[in-house]
Amino acid sequence: MDTQLLILPGLGNSGEKHWQTFWHEKFKNSIRLVQDNWDEPLREDWISRLNEEVSKLEEPTILVAHSLAVSLVLHWAETHSNKNIVGALLVAPADVDSPQHTPDIVRNFAPMPIYKLPFPSVVVASENDPYASFERKQYFSEKWGSDFVNVGQQGHINSDSDLKYWEEGQVILQQLIEKINS
């Protein structure tokens, strides 16, 4: 895989058992975004940090976002662009609009942006994710112009899901890369 990955963890960061951490260790061409405040995220601060990191990119890069970072990607791409961002893997989007699915601390990421992304993307969704209804993730995917992949019953596709290197996710990523390069 010659495409670079920019790994974007969500609320609370991705711990040592999270697939994003395994991927960062495995893929030498990956960068991991570090936010100043993982537990009380401020949308403008997170966007600013992402934009700072993106501005340093010198090769084709796929954003690999989990949970709250999915809405970060949508907020960023609404007002920013960079020719090196060639795609996005959007895993388990957290429904920032829904008090019954997400904590109030993420409400400043609402409303969830609804528009077609300017680059190819894939939404990866689990049927039993407590942070967004399955139907809502399908709706987001459709509005964002993303491909949609149902991975069955895998919770929030996070550390609790115990996916380690998450091979299924790597296959989905590879398919996205092939789509971008075709």
Side-chain angles (χ1 to χ4, degrees):
M1 184 186 348
D2 53 355
T3 309
Q4 188 167 254
L5 304 179
L6 179 51
I7 296 174
L8 309 175
L11 181 66
N13 198 352
S14 294
E16 59 185 45
K17 293 186 172 166
H18 198 289
W19 60 268
Q20 283 186 319
T21 302
F22 281 90
W23 282 21
H24 183 53
E25 289 166 7
K26 176 179 178 169
F27 298 118
K28 300 300 172 226
N29 58 343
S30 70
I31 302 163
R32 185 176 176 134
L33 187 70
V34 178
Q35 296 289 357
D36 289 331
N37 193 334
W38 288 111
D39 301 318
E40 295 175 11
L42 294 174
R43 182 171 83 191
E44 292 312 315
D45 292 354
W46 277 38
I47 291 171
S48 174
R49 177 57 53 86
L50 174 55
N51 201 45
E52 197 179 294
E53 201 59 55
V54 166
S55 70
K56 299 177 197 168
L57 298 174
E58 294 179 3
E59 52 193 284
T61 302
I62 291 176
L63 301 173
V64 179
H66 179 258
S67 192
L68 182 61
V70 173
S71 64
L72 171 63
V73 168
L74 270 295
H75 284 294
W76 176 84
E78 203 167 25
T79 52
H80 300 82
S81 66
N82 184 295
K83 64 178 177 20
N84 288 312
I85 299 299
V86 296
L89 183 68
L90 307 171
V91 180
D95 190 347
V96 294
D97 300 331
S98 170
Q100 65 263 39
H101 290 99
T102 54
D104 287 341
I105 199 85
V106 302
R107 213 64 63 227
N108 73 95
F109 282 77
M112 180 69 89
I114 300 295
Y115 66 93
K116 187 177 186 308
L117 280 166
F119 40 73
S121 59
V122 181
V123 169
V124 181
S126 162
E127 294 168 2
N128 61 338
D129 182 348
Y131 293 96
S133 73
F134 191 72
E135 296 69 28
R136 190 90 163 122
K137 288 178 286 200
Q138 287 177 304
Y139 168 78
F140 290 152
S141 176
E142 187 183 302
K143 293 298 181 190
W144 299 338
S146 306
D147 292 337
F148 186 80
V149 179
N150 176 357
V151 293
Q153 305 267 316
Q154 294 193 19
H156 193 44
I157 316 177
N158 59 2
S159 298
D160 294 341
S161 306
D162 197 26
L163 300 167
K164 298 196 173 47
Y165 290 97
W166 191 34
E167 286 77 5
E168 182 181 16
Q170 291 183 45
V171 170
I172 296 165
L173 175 63
Q174 192 55 48
Q175 290 166 342
L176 175 60
I177 291 170
E178 287 164 13
K179 179 179 181 172
I180 291 165
N181 294 334
S182 66

